[in-house]
Amino acid sequence: MLKRIMIIVGILIVGIAALSLLIKSLEADTAVANKEGKPLFTKKEELNIPILNTVTEKIHDKYKGLKFVVGSDPKNELNIQVQENEDYFNSVKKDIESIAKSVIKYSTLKNYTVVVKRLDLSFITEEQKNKHKELLLLTNTLAENLKEDYEVIGNINTAFQESITIHTSIKDSNKDAHKLAIEIEETINKILHSKELNSVSHIDSYKIKILNAKGKVVN
């Protein structure tokens, strides 16, 4: 169960054409955070994150086995991309759109157009499929293990063999923020070296970033 956790898989896998729309849709919500505490999101983007999470939760509550991602873009579109076969996608498309519209109706995204598309990975190479599967295993394993011990865990973003970014609800004013972030980082390192992730290649290449509620790196 991934409730309250929006998992975005493989947003930086170079060359996967099937994910190009997803990458574009997430560009507005992605920036570079540094050790000096530069915010990862603008104020507007910060307001959108809880709404995107709620859309994700509502869809997951209705369709627990569904593979999908949710994002927004500068064109005022809320994009939902579903990785399922065409027949099943067509059977749930309108309902997913309806769920999203009901969530954003009275929110800061009320004027956004909801776009539901099928994410077709059938034409990518075997190597690219393996990268996708590896990231899916990585993010799912992290989510399942972290959510048991830490209520503050939010979105998990992974970039293939580069980074793991954990979004949290840790407040900027929390005097124990750094200590908690370090504890989470240590837990992640234990998970990375667990038997569950034995099949993940170059596990030590991943740099871990723990972000507070304002998108600042706190570890």
Side-chain angles (χ1 to χ4, degrees):
M1 185 175 68
L2 301 178
K3 191 171 183 180
R4 299 193 306 275
I5 300 178
M6 173 182 173
I7 301 179
I8 303 174
V9 181
I11 62 174
L12 296 180
I13 299 180
V14 178
I16 298 185
L19 294 181
S20 62
L21 289 175
L22 171 59
I23 295 171
K24 290 178 182 177
S25 72
L26 294 174
E27 283 177 350
D29 294 332
T30 306
V32 178
N34 57 34
K35 289 293 183 181
E36 285 69 43
K38 181 179 178 180
L40 185 68
F41 301 107
T42 66
K43 205 68 179 175
K44 179 182 177 182
E45 291 161 355
E46 282 181 30
L47 293 173
N48 291 347
I49 292 172
I51 304 165
L52 297 177
N53 284 343
T54 302
V55 172
T56 302
E57 289 175 18
K58 294 295 184 182
I59 296 173
H60 181 260
D61 285 345
K62 181 77 177 285
Y63 301 101
K64 297 191 184 303
L66 193 71
K67 300 175 184 176
F68 67 98
V69 288
V70 178
S72 61
D73 64 28
K75 294 189 254 184
N76 285 358
E77 288 184 346
L78 189 152
N79 296 293
I80 303 169
Q81 300 203 35
V82 182
Q83 185 192 334
E84 296 290 347
N85 67 65
E86 191 168 358
D87 288 341
Y88 184 65
F89 169 76
N90 288 334
S91 71
V92 300
K93 179 181 178 181
K94 288 185 178 179
D95 190 39
I96 290 173
E97 182 178 337
S98 177
I99 291 171
K101 286 181 177 179
S102 67
V103 172
I104 69 172
K105 188 174 182 180
Y106 300 108
S107 74
T108 55
L109 298 180
K110 61 185 178 182
N111 295 321
Y112 276 53
T113 300
V114 176
V115 179
V116 183
K117 293 182 179 180
R118 179 172 172 254
L119 185 60
D120 184 8
L121 301 181
S122 62
F123 58 88
I124 68 174
T125 67
E126 195 62 35
E127 180 183 0
Q128 291 165 341
K129 286 181 181 179
N130 289 335
K131 288 181 180 180
H132 178 75
K133 289 178 182 178
E134 195 167 282
L135 281 175
L136 187 61
L137 172 63
L138 177 61
T139 50
N140 277 340
T141 302
L142 287 171
E144 289 295 330
N145 284 274
L146 289 174
K147 72 185 178 99
E148 296 296 331
D149 298 319
Y150 301 102
E151 290 288 335
V152 297
I153 299 297
N155 299 350
I156 298 177
N157 298 77
T158 57
F160 186 68
Q161 294 184 358
E162 291 183 12
S163 64
I164 296 167
T165 304
I166 308 294
H167 302 262
T168 75
S169 59
I170 298 173
K171 295 182 179 179
D172 205 19
S173 58
N174 186 341
K175 63 179 181 179
D176 295 320
H178 180 67
K179 181 180 178 181
L180 177 57
I182 294 299
E183 182 183 325
I184 294 173
E185 181 180 359
E186 290 173 351
T187 302
I188 291 171
N189 275 314
K190 288 179 182 178
I191 297 169
L192 294 181
H193 293 90
S194 67
K195 290 182 180 179
E196 292 176 273
L197 297 177
N198 275 346
S199 62
V200 177
S201 57
H202 302 287
I203 199 73
D204 291 323
S205 66
Y206 287 92
K207 305 299 180 184
I208 301 169
K209 297 178 184 178
I210 312 295
L211 308 182
N212 67 11
K214 290 190 174 181
K216 296 178 183 178
V217 176
V218 287
N219 64 321

